[in-house]
Every structure is written in structure tokens, then in C-alpha cells.
Amino acid sequence: MKASKMKFGINYIDTNSPLHALNGITKFALFMAWVTVVLTTFDLRIILSMVALGLALLNMTGVAFRVYKPLLLGTLSVLSMNAVFMFLVAPQQGPEWIGTTTPLLSLPGNYSLTQETLFYLCTVTLKYFSMFPIALVFVFTTHPTEFASSLNRIGVPYKIAYAVSLTLRYLPEVKNDFVNIMHAQQARGVDFSKNAPLMERFRGVAKILIPLIFSSLDRADEISNAMTLRGFGRNAKRTWYNARPLATKDGIALIIIALLVALAIYKRYTDAATIWYPF
């Protein structure tokens, strides 16, 4: 059986784009502000604008589409299944949130599909998806060590900053372990292709995740021991090999981000309706 190839990246990729030139703190503030705005709005107009802006920023990074295409397809698949499960668990959430009922399809029991439910599910799915591009922008354009040093410069203890750096740095290693374990399982006859039954593929994924968890724990233990042997944490302060101060463009970007978040929160608390519904 031919082993499937998996080529995608979830690590820093230096393409010298304008986003790479920003300080890590600025990009982290953008990411947190983005999540804040997404969590405070059910306005589809704002959500669609954020999806378009996020995809534009992702394209601005200069990272090839083939690098994150599997992640994009996987995210869309998970969100689609989430929308189906939401409908199965609470088929009348749309009318409950919006206050009107417009039947589209009559189904047995309480599972009649309404226009309000369809609109609600689309809004929630796009709401979750809007965080995907900006998360990739942050990972692709932020060097782990530079980001950790920036966190330390603004007062975050260097132990916490270094833990964040290690998390970002070893994401590619976890991905490589995942691919290697998957290929090893394929060599043992485990079928992950579309031809395999759904339950068999789920069992195959479990055969990957369990070794992956244990290998990640082993790596964490090795890193912890190595850092202890080198005296990490003995001193109150430490120096950084890769550090970048906040520039004028970072200050301007942070001001714009703060204003947009303030406007989003203000709009959320002044809107009469929780969810925007144009019909």
C-alpha cells in the first residue's frame, strides 16, 4: 500500500513580508484583539469582513497556499461537522435567538429546518473560521525566540516567555512525529485512505494520537532535564539572542488595534439584538 504524503507547515516561515517586520508583541496583540472581537459579535457583516481581512493578511505573509491547504481543508471539515452536530443537538436555536420562524424543510420530530437556524449555523461557522487565518498569520510570521524576548521586555517573567517560545518552536516537531507515526502505522497495514470505513479511520487516528502523546511527553521530559542541567531559572533575569524593540510602526498598529477593539465592544453593548438578522 502506498503511503500518503502529508506536506504542511505550522511554523515560522521567513518570507520578509511587511508582517514579518512587525514586533511579536504587535502580532500577539492583533491575534488577541481578533479573538476578542470574534467572541463579542454575532454580526455577519463584521464576521465576513474579518474573514476577508484575515485571508488577505494570510496572503500578505507570502507563504505558499500549498503549505496550509491541508489545514484549511481540515478546519472546514471540522467546522462543517460541528454545524451538523449543533443542528442535531439544538435544531431550534435559530428561532430562539432571532425570535421568528420561517420553515424551509419539514423533518420528523423537532428537526424542521428553518431559515433562522440555517442563518445562525452559517454565522457561527464563519465566526469560528474567522480565527483560522489570523492564527496562521501569527505562527507563520512570528519567530519564537523573538516573540519570547518581546514578552519578557514588557514584563512577562522569562520562564513563562520561554515556555511560549518552546511551544511555538516544537509545533513542527510534533507535526513530523505525527507524519512518521502515520507512515509507520501504514506500513503495518492501517488504512487511512478514503476507501477505508469511517470507524476504521477513527481507530487508525487513535493509533497515531496515543504514541504521539507519549512521544511528546518524552520530549518535554528531555527538554526539562536539559534546561535543569544548564541552570535555567537560577537567575532573576536573562539575556536573549534574538530581540527586537517596538518601533514606531508597532506603536501605530497597537493604537489602531485598541481603537477597533473598543469600537467592537461598544457596538456589542449598544446593539439591541444579539445576532444581526437582515430578513
Side-chain angles (χ1 to χ4, degrees):
M1 180 176 58
K2 184 179 179 181
S4 62
K5 295 182 179 179
M6 184 178 293
K7 295 182 179 179
F8 63 89
I10 46 174
N11 57 294
Y12 173 74
I13 301 175
D14 190 4
T15 59
N16 292 320
S17 72
L19 293 173
H20 284 76
L22 293 175
N23 190 282
I25 292 299
T26 305
K27 286 174 280 192
F28 182 68
L30 172 62
F31 175 72
M32 295 305 298
W34 198 282
V35 173
T36 301
V37 173
V38 168
L39 293 178
T40 57
T41 185
F42 273 92
D43 193 324
L44 188 59
R45 297 167 296 182
I46 296 177
I47 293 171
L48 287 174
S49 300
M50 295 181 71
V51 170
L53 178 58
L55 292 175
L57 291 175
L58 185 56
N59 182 66
M60 190 186 298
T61 63
V63 178
F65 176 68
R66 59 179 172 79
V67 173
Y68 55 86
K69 178 181 176 181
L71 295 172
L72 175 63
L73 296 178
T75 301
L76 291 174
S77 300
V78 171
L79 291 177
S80 299
M81 289 190 293
N82 179 68
V84 173
F85 287 136
M86 288 177 63
F87 175 72
L88 293 176
V89 172
Q92 299 303 319
Q93 269 197 336
E96 291 175 4
W97 277 70
I98 296 173
T100 61
T101 303
T102 308
L104 294 178
L105 182 63
S106 296
L107 297 173
N110 197 34
Y111 286 99
S112 297
L113 180 63
T114 64
Q115 178 175 291
E116 289 78 8
T117 296
L118 188 61
F119 184 85
Y120 172 79
L121 292 176
C122 290
T123 300
V124 171
T125 300
L126 288 171
K127 179 184 175 80
Y128 293 152
F129 177 75
S130 64
M131 291 186 281
F132 170 78
I134 202 65
L136 289 186
V137 167
F138 176 73
V139 174
F140 286 154
T141 63
T142 308
H143 192 282
T145 305
E146 184 266 322
F147 177 56
S149 66
S150 299
L151 287 176
N152 188 223
R153 284 175 62 89
I154 63 172
V156 177
Y158 75 85
K159 294 180 182 179
I160 297 177
Y162 203 79
V164 174
S165 173
L166 287 175
T167 301
L168 295 174
R169 184 179 301 171
Y170 283 98
L171 281 176
E173 297 297 325
V174 174
K175 185 266 292 187
N176 291 335
D177 286 346
F178 179 90
V179 174
N180 291 335
I181 295 170
M182 183 183 69
H183 289 168
Q185 295 293 353
Q186 286 177 323
R188 293 178 173 89
V190 180
D191 190 2
F192 297 98
S193 68
K194 297 179 181 178
N195 299 325
L198 183 61
M199 291 307 299
E200 182 178 338
R201 277 185 278 170
F202 276 128
R203 286 192 293 268
V205 171
K207 293 179 180 179
I208 295 177
L209 293 180
I210 294 174
L212 181 65
I213 291 172
F214 281 105
S215 65
S216 299
L217 291 175
D218 288 340
R219 178 182 291 110
D221 187 54
E222 292 176 2
I223 294 172
S224 176
N225 291 335
M227 293 171 66
T228 301
L229 289 173
R230 288 166 174 78
F232 182 82
R234 293 182 60 185
N235 300 321
K237 296 183 179 180
R238 62 159 292 166
T239 58
W240 297 89
Y241 176 75
N242 191 353
R244 178 186 297 174
L246 287 169
T248 303
K249 55 190 174 185
D250 294 297
I252 295 173
L254 289 172
I255 292 173
I256 295 174
I257 291 170
L259 290 174
L260 292 177
V261 171
L263 287 174
I265 295 176
Y266 175 77
K267 183 180 185 305
R268 170 66 181 84
Y269 285 100
T270 54
D271 282 346
T274 303
I275 182 171
W276 177 76
Y277 185 64
F279 304 106

